[in-house]
């Protein structure tokens, strides 16, 4: 499996300071991405951030909308999001994942100038990929419990399997 055979390309908002320091996505202890990825059925066991390359063996990839690291996503400008969205569309066009999963509805709304987007599948294609907006797994997003996060991620997992992968 290579980056050109992806079922789902997960796209975080931007690296937090811990992720920037370690070089691994969703590296902050307490971030729920890795537990939720496993609980939703994407991976057979819970991976650690430093094992992110194993995602490729499951047809999964990971990237960010914006490359610049910040303590909080609120530190990013709308222009950074829009430029990140443009670059993400190019990346999706190059890699051709079946699904592009943007982790964070606000990031998606700003990056792709879609103020009415909601969590779930979107009508538009980005770089030829179908789009699913997922809730942000950050512990700061207390509105979503580990269980409700896993339920939403599981919906995407099922759709990705139905789509032949």
């Amino acid at each position: 499996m290579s980056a050109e055979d992806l079922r789902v390309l997960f796209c975080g908002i931007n690296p937090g300071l811990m992720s920037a320091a370690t070089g691994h996505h969703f590296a902050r202890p307490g971030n729920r991405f890795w537990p939720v990825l496993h609980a939703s059925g994407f991976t057979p066991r819970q991976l650690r951030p430093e094992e992110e390359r194993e995602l490729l063996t499951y047809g999964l990839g990971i990237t960010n909308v914006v490359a610049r690291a910040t303590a909080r996503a609120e530190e990013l400008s709308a222009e950074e999001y829009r430029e990140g969205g443009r670059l993400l569309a190019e990346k999706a066009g190059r890699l051709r994942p079946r699904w592009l999963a943007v982790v964070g509805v606000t990031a998606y709304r700003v990056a792709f100038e879609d103020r009415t987007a909601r969590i779930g599948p979107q009508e538009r294609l980005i770089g030829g990929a179908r789009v699913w907006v997922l809730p942000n797994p950050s512990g700061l997003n207390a509105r979503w419990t580990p269980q409700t996060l896993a339920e939403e991620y599981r919906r995407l997992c099922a759709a990705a399997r139905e789509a032949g992968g």
Side-chain angles (χ1 to χ4, degrees), residues 98-116:
R98 291 185 192 98
W99 287 95
L100 176 63
V102 179
V103 179
V105 69
T106 301
Y108 176 83
R109 287 174 180 160
V110 178
F112 297 101
E113 300 183 281
D114 183 352
R115 292 181 297 176
T116 61

Side-chain angles (χ1 to χ4, degrees), residues 20-157:
T22 64
H24 300 293
H25 293 85
F26 299 104
R28 183 174 187 79
N31 188 293
R32 302 173 295 178
F33 179 79
W34 298 104
V36 165
L37 207 62
H38 170 61
S40 63
F42 276 108
T43 60
R45 66 179 181 84
Q46 184 177 320
L47 299 177
R48 295 183 311 274
E50 61 272 17
E51 297 175 307
E52 65 188 21
R53 300 249 344 128
E54 283 188 40
L55 289 174
L56 289 173
T57 64
Y58 308 117
L60 308 172
I62 193 164
T63 190
N64 288 302
V65 175
V66 177
R68 183 170 72 91
T70 61
R72 296 179 61 103
E74 293 81 24
E75 297 173 42
L76 300 171
S77 71
E79 182 52 40
E80 285 178 289
Y81 277 112
R82 286 190 295 273
E83 176 63 9
R86 186 187 67 74
L87 294 172
L88 181 58
E90 288 177 6
K91 184 179 282 188
R94 222 175 30 257
L95 296 178
R96 311 293 294 174
R98 291 185 192 98
W99 287 95
L100 176 63
V102 179
V103 179
V105 69
T106 301
Y108 176 83
R109 287 174 180 160
V110 178
F112 297 101
E113 300 183 281
D114 183 352
R115 292 181 297 176
T116 61
R118 295 180 134 20
I119 297 293
Q122 307 300 302
E123 293 295 319
R124 75 186 301 173
L125 299 178
I126 294 177
R130 287 173 281 187
V131 179
W132 198 294
V133 176
L134 292 168
N136 188 335
S138 166
L140 298 174
N141 187 7
R143 184 172 151 245
W144 289 82
T145 67
Q147 294 75 25
T148 58
L149 284 167
E151 288 167 14
E152 186 60 33
Y153 281 59
R154 194 174 297 117
R155 289 179 57 216
L156 170 58
C157 188

